[in-house]
Amino acid sequence: MTQTRVFEHRTLLAHPRETVWGWMAGPGALQRMNPPFASELVSGPTDGLAVGSETRLRIAAPGGAGLFADTADGFLKGTLPAGLARRIPAAATPKVPWTARHTAYEDGRMFRDEMVSGPLAAWTHTHLFEDAAPGEADAPDGRPGTVVLDRVEYALPAQSLLSRVPGVGAAAAGKAHELFEAELRRQFAYRGRVLAEDLDFHAAHPGPLTGGPRRTVAVTGAGGMIGTQLCALLTSGGHRVIRLVRDPQAVTGEDTALWDPLRGTVDVEALRAADVVVNLAGEPIAGRFTPEHKEAVHASRVQGTRTLVQAIAALDPAGRPDLVNGSAVGWYGADAGTGPYGSGLVEDLPAGDDFLAEVVSDWEAEAVAAEALGVRVARVRIGVVLSPAGGMLQRMLPLFLLGVGGPMATAGGQSHDGSPWISWIGLDDIVGILAHAVLDDAVSGAYNGTAPEPVTAKEFARTLGSVLRRPAVLPVPSFGPRLLLGAEGAAETVEADQKAVAEKILATGYEMRAPALEGALRHVLGR
């Protein structure tokens, strides 16, 4: 008979229980709470919190070994040509499948899920919701806050056999439990922080969850790293999201609709239903800057935005949705440094003159054309987004985890230590800024989607090494990125020198979740 152990984690929230429960019952809650350093949500929940609802995940091995294997796999697939990457069999990926089923439910108080298949011998997770004690965590309106108690009963694989090995078995089993529960603490700390910060966000942007109006938001690029989390944040707050997809087979109901940006077609009814359109679609920039790749990067953004604006123009003026358009700090040019005044790149500076600056300039021009239609347009110039699930951080992690990471060896920048500036931002914050632009009608014009404390490449490497407890002194030879991306691609991406500042978006009332680099890295890496 399998012997189970019990792990418990308590989260205290300054929000009433009905609000916390409403967030948890929203369709985006699990996506928001899923730690990117530990697992990937594949599908579900199929029926919310109801008994019988199922969720499928892919789970990484715990600790640094799992993070290394997962990020190395992501780096490889992101670097290889798309056709070759698709040929890597699913069995070769470092994560293992996990299926859980909801087995108990009591409205407003508890629900339970159990592992149906996965790497453990047993797993039963009970989520309990209770009012906090008076004065312990009162909500702003004076009502009691909420205590969320996560109670996990689990058994590790082969633990009963291991514990019977004479001499060392009990000690080995105890160490295995110690390591496993350390991993659980990392994951539940991440979940609790996201839950608390999302609830704070929704309290500051009233929607159905907090007694405010519901908005309908159409999103392109909804399946990307940023788009997936944006949709989850909006739906967990009670808003409706319509995902605009390019594959007809992906149109599965009223909350998905078809568009083809390069052919200039979009489901007009989806736009007519929307209060706001968020445009995040675009060919990934990473790759060698061949003529074909550069054309795909340019066309996917420029023609896609033009398609949306032309479709919006055809609608009745009284029913035209606002537009929140993705953009990039590439606007300023790869060698912009600190800008002409030395204090940082601000939004009213002109565009640079390299390839990516041209792409962003043309991209924003298409979006700005909607202003002539009476449409509110917000353009968010996104910086280097931090997540182990993709982007620059994913590409850097394998080297740092091996202890051979360090700053890029470049010709230097305008910073105090001679290395280029990096305008970074945590994934939760760029998602929050985009959602803020969706829900706050006063947000219009261009905004830097970056953290308030940009750092140099040397500072970034030192901080990442400290968070991972690894050395970070070996410069990464510039021939590596240039071999993968070509001279132009490397110069405009990994070697870019841009110190974009965030004062303008902060002045609109957005509150950064992770304003400093170390805190942002510790959050996304579970450290």
Side-chain angles (χ1 to χ4, degrees), residues 164-313:
R164 295 172 188 168
V165 177
V168 298
K175 185 63 174 178
H177 287 295
E178 179 184 331
L179 294 173
F180 184 71
E181 292 190 9
E183 178 66 20
L184 291 182
R185 283 191 290 274
R186 295 172 64 215
Q187 296 189 27
F188 279 100
Y190 178 93
R191 290 164 63 100
R193 176 175 174 176
V194 170
L195 172 56
E197 291 178 342
D198 276 16
L199 289 169
D200 290 345
F201 177 88
H202 291 304
H205 300 80
L209 183 67
T210 52
R214 185 191 197 208
R215 299 212 179 187
T216 297
V217 186
V219 181
T220 73
M225 182 176 71
I226 296 173
T228 297
Q229 291 298 330
L230 174 63
C231 293
L233 177 60
L234 291 170
T235 56
S236 69
H239 301 287
R240 178 190 175 195
V241 170
I242 303 173
R243 294 165 175 81
L244 296 177
V245 299
R246 289 178 291 177
D247 181 0
Q249 294 184 346
V251 180
T252 56
E254 66 173 5
D255 288 337
T256 52
L258 188 65
W259 84 309
D260 188 331
L262 298 184
R263 294 186 178 181
T265 61
V266 62
D267 187 326
V268 176
E269 292 306 314
L271 298 187
R272 185 174 284 116
D275 300 298
V276 185
V277 176
V278 180
N279 180 29
L280 300 174
E283 180 76 11
I285 291 174
R288 294 187 68 85
F289 275 24
T290 63
E292 295 78 14
H293 180 63
K294 292 167 69 172
E295 173 59 24
V297 167
H298 185 274
S300 62
R301 288 162 174 77
V302 174
Q303 294 183 30
T305 308
R306 183 180 303 153
T307 293
L308 291 173
V309 173
Q310 289 176 345
I312 290 171

Side-chain angles (χ1 to χ4, degrees), residues 337-338 342 412-422 453-460 462-463 497 499:
T338 60
Q414 301 176 27
S415 64
H416 60 85
D417 62 8
S419 64
W421 287 100
I422 298 176
E453 299 181 16
V455 298
T456 67
K458 288 183 180 178
E459 290 170 329
F460 190 99
R462 283 195 296 266
T463 304
D497 180 20
K499 185 186 180 184

Side-chain angles (χ1 to χ4, degrees), residues 426-437:
L427 178 58
D428 283 342
D429 268 319
I430 192 57
V431 168
I433 288 172
L434 289 164
H436 175 67

Side-chain angles (χ1 to χ4, degrees), residues 506-523:
L506 295 176
T508 68
Y510 179 75
E511 294 188 13
M512 288 281 175
R513 304 186 185 206
L517 178 63
E518 181 174 346
L521 288 172
R522 290 193 181 281
H523 175 59

